[in-house]
Amino acid sequence: MGENQVKASVLFVCLGNICRSPMAEGAMRAAAEKAGLDIHVDSVGTAGYHIGDPPDPRAIATAQKHGVDISQLRGRQLSDADFRTFTHIVALDKGNMAGIKARAPRQGDFKLSMLLDVLEGQQGEPVPDPYYGDARDFEEVWQMIDQAVAALIEELRD
Ligand code: 4NP
């Protein structure tokens, strides 16, 4: 085991698993790889509307612009097994957090948080849903996610 070994597995959770959480998954995987950290990363939606679907084309394009390929990801819905698999379950907004809590077992070894909790002064703040927005909204969301993921990597490294 190397010095950079962290036994963390991170699950990002949004509503549809086609916009925000796949971008978070891609950003996190890229950042972990760059940092030489062995972290298992995945994403899901609390809803089942997009099971089996690729990410939204605007999410794919935005990630691609930043050198991250998320085109192979497919939508999946939060399942009971996820609470046994992941050490960190990270909600993108408050509605997602409510959806997670509604499904979560009373006890478990997972840590629940909101993604922006890792950013000073943004604790509890949501990453807004860009689904009904445009490319600019996707870019703004990418920037928020990318910043938070960098901070999350630092936190997991400690
Ligand atoms: P996401 O965005 O939760 O960031 O993946 C959404 C995608 C699809 C829908 C809602 C939000 N939808 O209602 O289909």
Side-chain angles (χ1 to χ4, degrees), residues 56 58-59 62 129-141:
D56 185 284
R58 298 164 296 174
T62 304
D129 187 351
Y131 187 59
Y132 295 103
D134 59 20
R136 259 212 348 234
D137 298 300
F138 275 81
E139 176 60 26
E140 264 176 44
V141 161

Side-chain angles (χ1 to χ4, degrees), residues 14-22 49-50 56 92 96 128-132:
C14 64
L15 178 60
N17 192 213
I18 55 166
C19 298
R20 292 165 294 175
S21 63
Y49 320 127
H50 295 285
D56 185 284
L92 276 284
N96 311 146
D129 187 351
Y131 187 59
Y132 295 103

